[in-house]
Amino acid sequence: MISRYTRPEMGRIWSEQNKYDQWLSVELAASETLAELGQVPSEAVKALKAHAGFTVERIEAIERETRHDVIAFTTAVAERMAAAGEAGASRWFHFGMTSNDVVDTAQACQMKQAAALILASIDALLATLERRAKEFQHAVQIGRTHGIHAEPITFGLKLALWYDELRRNRARFAQAAEEARMGKISGAVGTLAHLPMEAEERICHKLGLRAAPISSQVLSRDLHAAYIAALALVCATLEKIALEVRHLQRTEVREVMEPFATGQKGSSAMPHKKNPIVCEQICGLARVVRSNLQAAFENIALWHERDISHSSVERVILPDSCILTDYLLAKTTWLVEGMRVFPARMKQNLESTKGLVFSGQVLLDLVGAGMLREQAYQLVQTQALACWESDGDFEATIRALPEIQAQVTVAQLDHAFAYERQLGNVDAIFARVFGRV
């Protein structure tokens, strides 16, 4: 991923340096375990732990000749051991292992590291959503369906809905990350032909992983597809949040606005512009993460016990999906934390249709008073559409109709047009989402 969207901690996890650091960790855990099981001399392991090392530049130089990254890595380590006078110990490095014992297991370590950052960022966004939801718990706003005014809600309810969805996404990702916390040291075709099963279990345990119950030369790629699918779901929710802010920032609406910094410019041609550029960036980059999921699904089907068609793909989609999710979580937290909210404008927009949004309650009250539903619907719709076309006052019209006055009292009409009636369950909904204090 380009540096523009890479935050330092996540970038470090997916750097070449950390990739090879994890390879070395797998190799040393294997050597140490094999020494414990009496298959590798303990003195050789001490020498390896003391002197095994590499530089990324040297690995890359060797790979240009060998065209094999793991051989380039082991050769670079062997050179470092020889330079330290421990060439004999290096023959026990990578003993009994195949390339993907190292690559897949190390990659699982990177995925585990990335997951820890992402889960922490999700928690930060959840906390921000909860705080701002409670801040605007009773800020009355018009709810829209199909983009058209429907019935009153509160802006806090909108935020609480995002919170609830993101909380589910967190659980999904945590489960996918736990399933992917899995290594394998089972050899070239998964038969554990050269190392005992106990060794595989011990090595994985040292690395904070679980040993796969069964593998081929590679871990099954459904694990990686589920991981990226969970990231895609997280980013879909972030896009949902950003898209809503974009709609609410439109000039005709102006109920919410993303932060606009001092000195920021919105347009090279129009000085008045304040554009939702971060929201648009979130919506755009979320598409990239979702598109990576298609490639992850394609990686599941490999030839026989392995081919490497998945490898080149994962060099792109795993780092990029984690890096982008990390970036988008930070941007969305910034957005929710700093967004400007205009309750007065929300109230103004809600009242702009002069009571039309209470048509459903009037309908129910007429039916409750004894009028046939079809008759009540026809009566209310006729008046509502006429008021809409003429910009008339729906509430005043309804109160003046003899047919209405014959069915319901003034007090009942007052109740029909009351925000408190429409929003009487807001606190109960909040208690259901956030828990009772």
Side-chain angles (χ1 to χ4, degrees):
M1 179 50 60
I2 62 176
S3 59
R4 183 184 186 94
Y5 307 123
T6 305
R7 299 209 302 161
E9 283 187 90
M10 188 63 79
R12 183 194 62 78
I13 289 172
W14 294 105
S15 67
E16 290 294 284
Q17 179 66 49
N18 189 53
K19 179 182 79 172
Y20 292 126
D21 283 342
Q22 298 309 309
W23 286 18
L24 185 59
S25 294
V26 173
E27 295 279 12
L28 293 179
S31 296
E32 184 177 51
T33 298
L34 294 176
E36 293 167 357
L37 296 174
Q39 295 194 6
V40 168
S42 59
E43 290 302 316
V45 175
K46 289 179 183 177
L48 287 168
K49 293 175 74 171
H51 302 291
F54 61 87
T55 66
V56 173
E57 294 75 17
R58 182 56 185 151
I59 293 172
E60 291 174 345
I62 298 169
E63 187 180 358
R64 284 193 289 272
E65 179 181 350
T66 63
R67 302 193 181 186
H68 194 292
D69 54 356
V70 177
I71 291 175
F73 168 72
T74 58
T75 302
V77 173
E79 289 178 350
R80 183 68 66 88
M81 294 297 294
E86 296 287 356
S90 66
R91 70 192 180 95
W92 299 106
F93 191 75
H94 199 67
F95 181 76
M97 299 174 71
T98 192
S99 296
N100 275 285
D101 288 339
V102 179
V103 173
D104 270 13
T105 304
Q107 185 169 263
C109 293
Q110 289 178 281
M111 291 167 70
K112 180 165 70 82
Q113 292 171 345
L117 285 185
I118 289 168
L119 288 169
S121 293
I122 293 174
D123 288 340
L125 178 53
L126 284 169
T128 302
L129 285 168
E130 179 175 3
R131 183 181 64 77
R132 300 227 73 183
K134 291 176 179 177
E135 179 182 354
F136 297 106
Q137 183 168 343
H138 298 291
V140 181
Q141 180 186 32
I142 185 60
R144 298 170 171 90
T145 60
H146 306 277
I148 308 300
H149 285 203
E151 292 186 342
I153 60 169
T154 74
F155 187 59
L157 285 174
K158 197 180 293 285
L159 288 154
L161 181 71
W162 298 340
Y163 173 94
D164 190 52
E165 185 171 323
L166 186 63
R167 181 168 54 186
R168 289 193 300 276
N169 285 332
R170 188 199 190 282
R172 293 185 189 106
F173 179 65
Q175 179 179 344
E178 176 59 24
E179 289 175 351
R181 191 179 58 84
M182 187 177 292
K184 57 87 59 185
I185 313 290
S186 58
V189 290
T191 57
L192 292 151
H194 305 295
L195 296 177
M197 186 176 292
E198 182 183 0
E200 180 182 50
E201 293 169 352
R202 285 197 191 187
I203 293 165
C204 290
H205 180 73
K206 288 178 187 293
L207 297 166
L209 306 175
R210 293 171 290 108
I214 184 172
S215 62
S216 60
Q217 189 181 122
V218 297
L219 291 165
S220 295
R221 258 43 199 178
D222 66 295
L223 298 168
H224 306 72
Y227 188 96
I228 294 178
L231 292 178
L233 277 167
V234 170
C235 291
T237 296
L238 305 185
E239 180 179 7
K240 177 177 181 174
I241 294 169
L243 184 64
E244 183 69 14
V245 174
R246 285 171 63 190
H247 279 307
L248 296 179
Q249 188 167 330
R250 286 179 297 139
T251 305
E252 296 81 1
V253 181
R254 287 190 295 162
E255 295 179 359
V256 176
M257 189 179 82
E258 78 171 42
F260 193 84
T262 302
Q264 183 176 338
K265 304 296 188 289
S267 167
S268 62
M270 297 167 283
H272 71 279
K273 294 294 289 296
K274 289 185 177 182
N275 301 325
I277 56 170
V278 173
C279 290
E280 292 171 350
Q281 184 186 66
I282 292 168
C283 291
L285 292 177
R287 300 169 190 165
V288 178
V289 180
R290 285 200 300 276
S291 70
N292 287 344
L293 180 55
Q294 178 64 37
F297 283 142
E298 299 293 337
N299 275 355
I300 293 173
L302 302 176
W303 282 24
H304 307 303
E305 277 58 61
R306 82 164 285 217
D307 60 55
I308 62 167
S309 61
H310 67 289
S311 177
S312 55
V313 178
E314 286 175 0
R315 291 175 190 266
V316 176
I317 65 172
L318 273 173
D320 282 8
S321 297
C322 291
I323 286 168
L324 282 178
T325 303
D326 177 64
Y327 179 82
L328 293 178
L329 281 164
K331 283 296 183 181
T332 307
T333 302
W334 170 88
L335 170 66
V336 175
E337 179 71 38
M339 68 181 173
R340 297 180 63 190
V341 181
F342 307 109
R345 178 70 179 188
M346 291 177 178
K347 192 77 173 293
Q348 180 183 342
N349 286 340
L350 173 58
E351 294 176 346
S352 66
T353 56
K354 303 172 185 177
L356 271 179
V357 297
F358 295 100
S359 69
Q361 191 60 62
V362 174
L363 168 65
L364 289 177
D365 287 351
L366 289 173
V367 173
M371 187 177 288
L372 292 175
R373 179 179 175 81
E374 291 77 10
Q375 180 185 356
Y377 193 101
Q378 181 64 35
L379 175 63
V380 175
Q381 184 188 44
T382 298
Q383 301 304 320
L385 295 182
C387 288
W388 194 336
E389 292 291 335
S390 65
D391 196 28
D393 189 322
F394 177 74
E395 181 176 355
T397 299
I398 288 295
R399 288 180 180 275
L401 280 178
E403 300 97 314
I404 301 291
Q405 295 172 355
Q407 293 291 329
V408 294
T409 66
V410 172
Q412 287 175 314
L413 283 173
D414 290 343
H415 198 33
F417 286 94
Y419 295 124
E420 295 78 10
R421 184 176 185 183
Q422 295 283 317
L423 302 172
N425 287 316
V426 170
D427 289 348
I429 294 170
F430 265 66
R432 199 160 59 184
V433 173
F434 299 109
R436 299 184 183 278
V437 178

